[in-house]
Amino acid sequence: MKQMQTDVLVVGAGASGIPAAAAAARVGAKVILVEEDQQIGGAPVDYYVCMFCGDPLTGILKECEEMLKNGYALSDTPKFYLPSSFVKVFTDIIANEPNITLLTGARATAVLMDNEKVTGVRINDCLEIRSSITVDATGGAVLAGMAGNELMYGQDAKSDFNEAVAPAERNQKVQQCTWMYFSQQTDINAKPLDMMRLDRKSVMTNEINWYHENPDRGMQLNPQLFLHWGCAVECRDTRSPLALGEAQQEAMAKMRRDHDLLRQYGYTVYMAPKIGVREQSRALCDHVMTVNDILCGKLPEDTIAVGTYGIDSWGANKETLSIEVEGYGIPYRSLIPRSLEGLLVVGRAIGGTHIAMSSYRVMPIAGAIGQAGGAAAAFCALNKHGVRDLDHKLLQKTLKGKGQNLLLDL
């Protein structure tokens, strides 16, 4: 068994893990960032969510957006970017921090423990990485679950957290999955297709944003390159690769007519490598965010990130499908797994209810949570204290400062 040692270990190199690693390095910690896929990037690369959907966009992901605009824009007013562009920008963000060591093809197979304290992770059953503080950026609280912390999955009951819009009883239903894809007209002699003829008309262009807002202009775009919101389907268990495979096959069958029509008009279809997953497990943390927290209009004292994106629960009933919000704070306590020490959870899997996470699950907010969690992990590691002993005011001051730049005021 090979051994490595670091101050901060971040597991998951996606939209929350990359900012977490960069933030920890900027505080001065030595960081190892591991990703189970061969390629980093998360949602823009795996799911083709190739834009920063949701607000506010701040900090390190804001830096990424500027890099995309300056080097990889497909038009003067870019609405989305190619997945490969995200890979290049994320790679540059990591490469610019000499304190970060990146390992890809590295799957966490076990969590190393000392009583209730996480002390590292075993990778591929052949490498042990010991760390002072570990950050779970897996998107499904995988490490927290491995370490024995209670996880939440599906819709919470109204009585669980006093959410008036929650169902009467707890169930296993999660948000729908969507399979994204690009289409590009490669036959120069073919006529453009009116995308309003497709069954699924949620199509993004790189000049006018949504095709349906101006179909006549969409017919005139050159090049004819579009990003499609594909097909949304239910998945019986998004924690199961087999169930996700079933959902992906169902989505493919439902999109067959649209793809055939596109090909008739000379379009090539580029499917995302994986069906997009909006929700998996969530960690039970010291504080569980609820829809009441999001709608109360007050920032918690230990706010470390903010969100202004509305409740957006795909596949939910009309009462919770879309609720506007003015702004809310993510408390540091929601990053701390309730029964563990030495571990912070970031991104969409922090302590929160099914309804609440449908707002902060989007990349800009998940990235801000990751950035805050990475900086917090670095402070704890360098000062040799537990995650609950961190002075959140010191963390907030750093997050407002140079190199972090998170909006903590609404």
Side-chain angles (χ1 to χ4, degrees):
M1 188 74 67
K2 295 182 179 179
Q3 305 282 334
M4 295 181 72
Q5 183 76 36
T6 189
D7 297 323
V8 174
L9 169 62
V10 179
V11 179
S16 63
I18 290 170
R26 291 178 184 184
V27 171
K30 292 184 178 179
V31 181
I32 295 178
L33 172 62
V34 302
E35 168 57 47
E36 66 178 0
D37 290 342
Q38 302 298 329
Q39 188 60 274
I40 65 170
V45 179
D46 291 340
Y47 304 157
Y48 283 9
V49 184
C50 293
M51 77 299 297
F52 292 114
C53 176
D55 298 302
L57 181 62
T58 62
I60 290 169
L61 287 191
K62 182 66 175 178
E63 295 175 25
C64 293
E65 184 191 50
E66 292 301 316
M67 295 167 68
L68 286 164
K69 285 182 177 178
N70 293 334
Y72 303 98
L74 298 173
S75 70
D76 293 334
T77 57
K79 307 299 181 183
F80 60 78
Y81 303 87
L82 295 178
S84 59
S85 300
F86 279 91
V87 173
K88 292 172 183 175
V89 165
F90 287 155
T91 298
D92 288 344
I93 286 287
I94 295 169
N96 288 338
E97 304 297 336
N99 278 357
I100 299 178
T101 298
L102 173 65
L103 303 177
T104 60
R107 183 171 63 90
T109 52
V111 173
L112 308 178
M113 303 284 295
D114 182 3
N115 294 320
E116 294 182 346
K117 181 179 181 180
V118 173
T119 59
V121 171
R122 182 174 298 139
I123 301 296
N124 297 342
D125 290 328
C126 64
L127 168 65
E128 287 187 349
I129 303 177
R130 299 281 176 174
S131 57
S132 298
I133 304 293
T134 300
V135 177
D136 184 339
T138 61
V142 172
L143 301 186
M146 284 183 177
N149 193 82
E150 184 177 345
L151 302 182
M152 299 179 287
Y153 183 82
Q155 296 183 342
D156 313 280
K158 183 180 299 184
S159 59
D160 288 337
F161 301 101
N162 193 31
E163 292 181 312
V165 292
E169 296 183 359
R170 197 179 302 173
N171 62 63
Q172 295 287 292
K173 184 177 180 180
V174 296
Q175 294 182 69
Q176 293 173 327
C177 300
T178 299
W179 200 355
M180 307 275 286
Y181 65 92
F182 283 98
S183 70
Q184 181 179 17
Q185 192 172 45
T186 53
D187 184 348
I188 60 174
N189 297 315
K191 295 180 179 180
L193 169 65
D194 182 357
M195 298 293 171
M196 299 304 291
R197 292 178 58 188
L198 299 176
D199 290 337
R200 290 159 184 86
K201 299 176 177 60
S202 294
V203 181
M204 180 172 280
T205 81
N206 223 341
E207 292 185 20
I208 59 174
N209 203 1
W210 293 103
Y211 183 95
H212 64 261
E213 294 175 353
N214 192 343
D216 291 337
R217 174 65 181 137
M219 294 283 287
Q220 300 170 12
L221 294 178
N222 186 21
Q224 289 281 307
L225 175 65
F226 302 97
L227 177 61
H228 298 251
W229 245 252
C231 180
V233 296
E234 306 287 344
C235 180
R236 59 180 174 83
D237 189 344
T238 55
R239 300 165 296 184
S240 164
L242 286 174
L244 285 171
E246 293 170 5
Q248 194 152 333
Q249 292 176 48
E250 179 186 352
M252 175 61 80
K254 288 184 175 181
M255 291 189 290
R256 177 70 66 181
R257 177 197 174 269
D258 283 356
H259 293 177
D260 289 346
L261 185 58
L262 284 162
R263 292 189 180 96
Q264 288 174 23
Y265 279 77
Y267 288 82
T268 297
V269 172
Y270 309 96
M271 303 297 299
K274 301 178 182 178
I275 194 168
V277 178
R278 291 184 175 87
E279 180 179 1
Q280 293 177 300
S281 294
R282 313 178 309 276
L284 184 65
C285 291
D286 284 359
H287 178 76
V288 175
M289 285 196 65
T290 70
V291 69
N292 305 323
D293 294 320
I294 287 178
L295 298 177
C296 73
K298 298 179 181 178
L299 293 182
E301 183 181 358
D302 59 340
T303 293
I304 47 81
V306 297
T308 57
Y309 188 66
I311 303 296
D312 184 18
S313 184
W314 281 59
N317 57 41
K318 293 181 180 179
E319 288 75 20
T320 57
L321 179 62
S322 181
I323 301 175
E324 293 185 1
V325 304
E326 293 183 0
Y328 57 90
I330 306 287
Y332 175 62
R333 292 163 290 154
S334 291
L335 280 62
I336 304 174
R338 185 170 293 183
S339 63
L340 300 173
E341 177 54 72
L343 182 70
L344 293 172
V345 178
V346 298
R348 68 188 183 194
I350 64 171
T353 65
H354 162 82
I355 299 174
M357 71 82 60
S358 72
S359 171
Y360 59 73
R361 64 177 171 80
V362 292
M363 283 194 291
I365 305 174
I369 297 170
Q371 184 170 340
F379 278 122
C380 293
L382 295 175
N383 292 291
K384 301 186 185 305
H385 57 60
V387 293
R388 291 174 176 81
D389 301 322
L390 177 65
D391 181 355
H392 64 261
K393 292 183 179 179
L394 172 63
L395 177 59
Q396 290 168 336
K397 182 179 179 180
T398 299
L399 294 173
K400 290 181 179 181
K402 184 178 180 181
Q404 304 291 345
N405 303 317
L406 291 186
L407 297 173
L408 296 182
D409 303 301
L410 292 173

